[in-house]
Each structure stands twice: as structure tokens, then as C-alpha cells.
Amino acid sequence: ANSGTYSLTITENGCVSLPQTVDVVVYPTPVASPTTSTPVICEGGTILLEGNTIVGATYAWTGPNGFSSINEDESITSSTPANSGTYSLTVTNNGCVSSPVTVNVTVNPTPIASPTTSTPVICEGSTILLEGNTILGATYAWSGPNGFSSVNEDESIASSTTANSGTYTLIVTENGCVSAPASVSVTVNSYPTIPSVSGDNEMCQFA
């Protein structure tokens, strides 16, 4: 509102000068208003940072892991937990610099499934034992032979048969992030078949 023409006159001994004018432009301080559509993502995802459009402005982003950019909008691909943190944007327009404004981003690590079994080779009728690795707050999804599935961290299959032989796969989900599948193999051996015995049931002793 203080932009405009300023006029000066000088009065000396009752004599008034002609007015002299000067024009002044007061530019408004730009306002940074960054946003992100990826406030919480999984490791390997892409962080999206969006600046607010101001015609003729320049942009300066800073953030975790040495991040900086002069683009209005920016993306960080193949993100890791090291990219988690606060991203700050300042905007410069007509030589006027905005206050920095921030957005927060969290990159959750991808959990690792690490199943084990203490019964890799057993006889039919025995119990298969499947053990998942403990991750607080995680959920579990087992799949395997003979239509097997389970959402328990650890699982057992009693009275196993040879149909239970094969590969058991575990997937772990934590904070919405899904592990790569990992597997263990189990072999259920059948008992040998006893052959039928035939022959004479009476005989003579030989000297």
C-alpha cells in the first residue's frame, strides 16, 4: 500500500520550489507454501515435494541426507529411511525472500522376513514347526503346500503327511510396508511299507 509517487517541495524565505517526485515500488514478501502427497511412504518409494506457484519466483529446497533443489516441484526416487525428516522451502520474488516453511516426510524401512523351521525333515505323523522372525507391530502371512495358510508369527502342522512336503513362504508387513517373500523347505517322509512274507510254516531241522 506504500507503493506510489512521493512528491517533495522546499520552502525557503516564503518561496516554494517546484515539486519533484520519486516513484517507489514496495514488493510484497512472497509466502512459501510447500506440500507433499507422500508424507509417509515405504522404503524404495518416491518422495514428492510440491512448491506453490508464484510467477517469476525462484525456489530453494533443503532437507535430510544433503538434499537441495532449486525446482518448484521435486521428487526423490528410491528413497531410504535416511530421507526421512523435515524439508524446508523458501521462495524469492523481486528480490524479496519468504520465511522458510517446512513439510515432514517419513520413509519406513521395508521389513525382512526370515522364516526358520526346526523340522526340515520329519516322518509322517510328526508335527511341522514353522517360526517367523519377531518384528514388533508386524503382521504375518504364511502360505505353503496342501492349501496351507496362516497369519500367525509361528505355526505348527500336526499329524503331517507327505502332502505337507514342500516350500513354506512367509511375508511380513510393518507400517504398511511389505517384505520380499522368504521361504523354508520341509520334507515329510513316509514310513516304509512292510512287505508281506510267505513260505512254509513247517520244516525239518537239518543236521
Side-chain angles (χ1 to χ4, degrees), residues 101-117:
V101 181
T102 61
V103 292
N104 292 316
V105 174
T106 299
V107 181
N108 289 317
T110 300
I112 298 174
S114 183
T116 58
T117 179

Side-chain angles (χ1 to χ4, degrees), residues 21-71:
T21 61
V22 61
D23 293 322
V24 175
V25 177
V26 181
Y27 292 111
T29 300
V31 177
S33 182
T35 58
T36 178
S37 55
T38 55
V40 180
I41 61 172
C42 295
E43 182 176 3
T46 298
I47 296 171
L48 299 176
L49 302 170
E50 299 96 25
N52 51 310
T53 300
I54 299 175
V55 176
T58 59
Y59 297 81
W61 288 95
T62 58
N65 207 30
F67 172 78
S68 64
S69 173
I70 58 173
N71 297 321

Side-chain angles (χ1 to χ4, degrees), residues 61-116:
W61 288 95
T62 58
N65 207 30
F67 172 78
S68 64
S69 173
I70 58 173
N71 297 321
E72 176 183 342
D73 303 324
E74 191 54 87
S75 61
I76 303 171
T77 60
S78 303
S79 63
T80 72
N83 299 117
S84 292
T86 300
Y87 290 81
S88 178
L89 174 65
T90 57
V91 179
T92 301
N93 193 31
N94 294 314
C96 303
V97 183
S98 72
S99 298
V101 181
T102 61
V103 292
N104 292 316
V105 174
T106 299
V107 181
N108 289 317
T110 300
I112 298 174
S114 183
T116 58

